Amino acid sequence: LLKKISESLPPDIILTNISMTNNAITVSGNSTSEKSIQQLSINLGSIDNIDDFTISSIESSTENSTNFEFVLTGKYKNK
């Protein structure tokens, strides 16, 4: 699963955390583009064992910054 996640990353995405529970997955990171964060959410949602990936939050790291911190969440189906 980690390999599939890493293959889904747009080039300007840096992941800072991936956590999984029984049926949930949370991915956190940084990007210079909100569009790339949206694309990552779409890409992750297309992975076989993951459903319903959504953007939980996007925040500017600092005032007037072009760097965004994000959290994405999805449902993990254990096959």
Side-chain angles (χ1 to χ4, degrees), residues 23-76:
N23 62 350
I25 182 168
T26 302
V27 176
S28 305
N30 298 299
S31 178
T32 57
S33 165
E34 288 180 275
K35 187 173 184 174
S36 291
I37 298 168
Q38 293 170 345
Q39 186 61 53
L40 175 61
S41 180
I42 292 167
N43 294 352
L44 293 175
S46 69
I47 295 174
D48 289 339
N49 295 0
I50 299 176
D51 281 334
D52 300 328
F53 239 96
T54 58
I55 300 171
S56 298
S57 69
I58 299 178
E59 296 179 5
S60 179
S61 298
T62 59
E63 194 172 313
N64 297 323
S65 174
T66 57
N67 192 46
F68 300 94
E69 296 176 352
F70 64 87
V71 177
L72 306 176
T73 56
K75 294 179 183 174
Y76 179 71

Side-chain angles (χ1 to χ4, degrees), residues 20-25 76-78:
M20 293 176 60
T21 62
N22 292 336
N23 62 350
I25 182 168
Y76 179 71
K77 297 184 296 184
N78 202 359

